[in-house]
Amino acid sequence: MPLNINFQQVFLHMLNFALLFGAMYFLLYKPVKKFMDSRAQRYQKMDEDAKAALAQAEAARAEYEKKLAGADDEIAQKRADEQDKLRLELEAQRAEAQKTAEEIVEKSRAAAQKEHDAVMAKAQSEIADIVAAAAEKLVLQSTSEAYEQFLTAAEERSSDE
């Protein structure tokens, strides 16, 4: 043994190291590496799922924004349609009201004309009665005066004779 080296001890230490290394490799390194790989795969899968979910959410958001823009257009169109309906209905009601007003005015004119005719007929009847009464009064008064004059003249003749 030169230099006081025991090759058997070195060989046993090397064998011990190889056995320890092999045992550690199979007992610790391989399960830890397997665990770390599965964990990395799980996080990678979670990352991919999150990216897919984000992409899906972005697509859904874009679709909802498109639908929202379409809904705004649809609302505007429905509002315009309803305003047109309302305008047509108002025009129909206005025309009906105009027709009713014209009928009322026509009835009022007819009633006023009828009342005018009745007042005129009554006034003509009263005028005729007044004229007849005045004529009668005038005739009676003239007759009475003529009779008085006749009597006066007869008295004067009889007193002259």
Side-chain angles (χ1 to χ4, degrees):
M1 302 218 151
L3 295 172
N4 214 4
I5 298 178
N6 189 352
F7 286 106
Q8 187 181 10
Q9 285 288 326
V10 171
F11 179 71
L12 282 175
H13 281 293
M14 284 176 37
L15 183 65
N16 229 355
F17 180 74
L19 285 174
L20 183 63
F21 182 77
M24 292 293 230
Y25 178 79
F26 286 108
L27 291 176
L28 291 176
Y29 181 74
K30 217 173 183 186
V32 169
K33 183 164 170 65
K34 186 178 176 184
F35 172 76
M36 293 298 280
D37 288 342
S38 69
R39 186 174 176 193
Q41 286 176 352
R42 185 175 54 148
Y43 284 126
Q44 187 175 9
K45 185 176 185 293
M46 286 174 55
D47 187 41
E48 289 171 0
D49 290 344
K51 286 179 182 177
L54 181 62
Q56 186 179 11
E58 287 292 327
R61 191 189 81 176
E63 182 181 338
Y64 289 138
E65 286 177 355
K66 185 178 178 183
K67 284 182 180 180
L68 186 60
D72 288 341
D73 293 341
E74 186 178 336
I75 288 169
Q77 181 64 35
K78 284 186 179 184
R79 181 178 292 148
D81 291 344
E82 291 301 320
Q83 285 177 346
D84 288 343
K85 283 182 185 178
L86 181 62
R87 183 181 45 79
L88 291 174
E89 188 175 322
L90 285 174
E91 287 176 3
Q93 286 179 354
R94 188 176 296 133
E96 184 68 27
Q98 183 69 27
K99 182 180 173 186
T100 304
E102 288 173 0
E103 289 174 358
I104 290 170
V105 167
E106 189 61 36
K107 287 179 183 178
S108 297
R109 283 184 183 154
Q113 184 64 38
K114 191 184 266 188
E115 188 175 331
H116 177 265
D117 293 343
V119 167
M120 290 302 285
K122 186 177 177 182
Q124 286 177 350
S125 172
E126 287 178 3
I127 289 173
D129 289 345
I130 291 172
V131 168
E136 184 180 327
K137 190 174 183 183
L138 217 111
V139 168
L140 286 177
Q141 188 178 16
S142 296
T143 309
S144 171
E145 279 181 24
Y147 185 68
E148 287 287 323
Q149 286 177 355
F150 173 73
L151 287 179
T152 307
E155 276 181 21
E156 284 179 7
R157 269 191 186 174
S158 42
S159 41
D160 283 342
E161 276 180 27

